Amino acid sequence: MDRVKPQRVLAFIKAWQKNVRANTAMLFALMVVPIFVVMAFAIDSSRQVNSARHVQFALDAASLAGVLALRDSSLSDADIEQIAKTAFLSNLNTAQSDLGCPAQEVDIDRDEVSVKVSADCEFDAMIGGGITTETLYVKNAAKAQASLRKLDLALMLDVSGSMRGVKLDYLKTAAKDMATSMLDLSTDGRVRLALVSFSSAVNAGEYGNFVQGLPVLDDEELDGVNKVCVSERSGPAAWTDDAPAPFRWIGNEAILCPDTSVVPLTNNLTTLTNAIDALIADGSTAGHLAVAWAWYLVSPEWAGIWPASSRPLEYSDPDALKAVILMSDGRFNTQYAKHILGLSGWQATRMCEAIRARGIVVFSVAFQAPSDAQYVLKTCADNDRRYFEANSGEELLDAYAAIVSQLSVLSLSE
């Protein structure tokens, strides 16, 4: 046998030391497990965040549904609990399919008018047992509380000639639906509504002579002391809600106006629906006058004008919310102090600015109205969410329903 030379042995050893052809496979085998674990952790973490978001959304919806139901005194705690749980599970269906929430708790506080819903949810981890936990958990809660703020709300209703027929029928339905909804949601007289209809002017009714500085029984037009057509006032009080007084009297230049007079703030649904049913469409459109009177009806400055039960809440009351809803289908085209104050549309927008400055929320609805009327009403609201364009009777009903939803203010806590 030939003897192996030492030089060859050393060369073989050096070559073997330099050979790295199997290192990649070995390193991959060593790294694949921790890489997979890290990826699984990352995916599970993402799933947990998304699950928490879905659960919170479902809990928010459930608590809101519960507190809305709570305002119906005919429902028991068990009824409200079922409503809240049903809302939770319905909204949870949008989440990942393996997310389970076997238990929900519903806490009802009738004194606070709140509903709190909590849930313990879980889903299986991608890998579990020896390396990570088998189950991941999501625990959240949401609480909704009904706003108990007192509400003074004035509805301005256009009964000019262009509203005749089906349009007036839809307006009556929308106004009555709103009155019914708002008063059904209220308790202890927290919500009161006032009405002011308008055409060529506003009928101030039994209050008209007094606010014009005339004898209470004055009936110059021979149409009864309960029909007093009023125009705008000029002078330093033109753009204010100052109480009527010398140099601040309401104008008396108008001779045509609706037969239905203003209705001061009330929570008597029958009074409101009877007044709405009595509306008749006729005449032109003095919208700025109705804007002013909507303000007067909710202004504490006019407390001495209205009956004791209709006296508006103070502006300074932290628990008070004041709002007006302006509605028209046509161009504001009638004014009585044009030479002093300007056209009806301009007067309306300036009056709206003064109303909003007092913290009163202004909603407006343009019902099949021309572009210039839409501009006035949109400017009055000064908020896209509070301005509505209705091109059909159904859209008018929807607009008033949407305003009811906004006025039924709810706040989420936690």
Side-chain angles (χ1 to χ4, degrees):
M1 175 183 290
D2 295 334
R3 184 176 179 181
V4 179
K5 295 181 178 180
Q7 294 85 347
R8 290 185 176 182
V9 173
L10 290 173
F12 174 79
I13 293 174
K14 288 181 179 180
W16 180 82
Q17 288 176 334
K18 293 179 180 179
N19 192 333
V20 295
R21 284 178 294 176
N23 283 6
T24 301
M26 181 177 64
L27 290 174
F28 178 77
L30 291 174
M31 292 297 296
V32 68
V33 173
I35 289 174
F36 181 73
V37 170
V38 170
M39 290 177 60
F41 271 121
I43 294 172
D44 282 340
S45 296
S46 176
R47 293 171 69 210
Q48 192 165 27
V49 170
N50 288 332
S51 296
R53 186 181 299 114
H54 278 293
V55 171
Q56 190 63 57
F57 171 80
L59 288 169
D60 288 348
S63 60
L64 285 170
V67 81
L68 282 173
L70 184 58
R71 305 184 82 170
D72 185 343
S73 59
S74 67
L75 297 178
S76 66
D77 284 3
D79 294 330
I80 294 168
E81 180 176 346
Q82 184 59 46
I83 289 171
K85 287 183 176 180
T86 299
F88 172 77
L89 293 175
S90 296
N91 283 277
L92 192 68
N93 288 337
T94 62
Q96 58 198 55
S97 59
D98 62 340
L99 179 63
C101 303
Q104 306 95 44
E105 292 185 5
V106 180
D107 296 321
I108 300 169
D109 190 328
R110 289 186 178 271
D111 293 330
E112 189 183 56
V113 195
S114 67
V115 174
K116 180 179 180 180
V117 185
S118 56
D120 292 332
C121 304
E122 59 186 42
F123 62 92
D124 294 334
M126 286 192 64
I127 55 175
I131 301 177
T132 66
T133 180
E134 293 185 2
T135 306
L136 297 176
Y137 299 93
V138 176
K139 183 175 182 179
N140 279 348
K143 179 179 178 181
Q145 181 174 355
S147 171
L148 297 182
R149 297 177 71 187
K150 295 165 285 187
L151 172 63
D152 284 350
L153 173 65
L155 275 62
M156 169 184 130
L157 306 175
D158 186 343
V159 293
S160 58
S162 57
M163 285 292 296
R164 290 190 190 99
V166 176
K167 292 176 73 174
L168 183 61
D169 292 338
Y170 271 110
L171 176 60
K172 290 181 177 181
T173 300
K176 288 190 291 187
D177 286 352
M178 166 166 278
T180 301
S181 298
M182 295 305 300
L183 295 178
D184 279 351
L185 290 175
S186 70
T187 57
D188 301 326
R190 286 197 305 269
V191 174
R192 297 179 299 172
L193 273 65
L195 301 176
V196 52
S197 59
F198 74 98
S199 56
S200 303
V202 167
N203 178 4
E206 63 183 285
Y207 312 101
N209 285 329
F210 181 81
V211 301
Q212 290 178 331
L214 300 174
V216 175
L217 298 180
D218 181 81
D219 187 18
E220 183 178 346
E221 289 80 21
L222 301 178
D223 51 7
V225 295
N226 290 327
K227 183 177 181 180
V228 180
C229 302
V230 293
S231 59
E232 60 270 84
R233 60 177 169 184
S234 55
W239 313 112
T240 76
D241 60 342
D242 290 353
F247 305 106
R248 289 178 171 79
W249 297 123
I250 300 300
N252 63 355
E253 298 177 57
I255 58 173
L256 297 175
C257 62
D259 290 334
T260 304
S261 67
V262 297
V263 179
L265 291 167
T266 180
N267 59 4
N268 188 313
L269 184 59
T270 301
T271 298
L272 294 166
T273 55
N274 286 345
I276 294 169
D277 283 334
L279 296 175
I280 298 174
D282 193 21
S284 57
T285 310
H288 66 293
L289 295 179
V291 172
W293 278 82
W295 186 9
Y296 302 156
L297 286 164
V298 299
S299 168
E301 303 297 332
W302 281 56
I305 306 298
W306 312 123
S309 61
S310 301
R311 289 173 182 167
L313 301 166
E314 294 294 332
Y315 287 128
S316 59
D317 187 343
D319 295 324
L321 173 65
K322 294 179 179 291
V324 297
I325 303 173
L326 315 178
M327 173 273 158
S328 182
D329 78 326
R331 181 180 297 108
F332 291 8
N333 58 16
T334 302
Q335 55 281 315
Y336 300 88
K338 172 184 175 181
H339 58 291
I340 300 174
L341 302 176
L343 298 174
S344 177
W346 186 86
Q347 290 190 53
T349 56
R350 180 165 178 180
M351 190 69 71
C352 285
E353 184 178 355
I355 291 172
R356 295 194 309 271
R358 296 308 299 260
I360 298 173
V361 179
V362 179
F363 295 90
S364 62
V365 182
F367 183 22
Q368 298 179 357
S371 58
D372 49 354
Q374 292 175 8
Y375 171 80
V376 170
L377 291 168
K378 188 171 186 179
T379 302
C380 272
D382 194 35
N383 184 315
D384 288 342
R385 292 183 62 248
R386 295 173 185 156
Y387 168 69
F388 300 84
E389 291 180 10
N391 296 312
S392 67
E394 293 300 325
E395 289 184 6
L396 182 71
L397 298 178
D398 291 342
Y400 276 83
I403 294 173
V404 170
S405 297
Q406 290 194 44
L407 288 171
S408 303
V409 182
L410 299 171
S411 60
L412 275 176
S413 60
E414 294 188 15

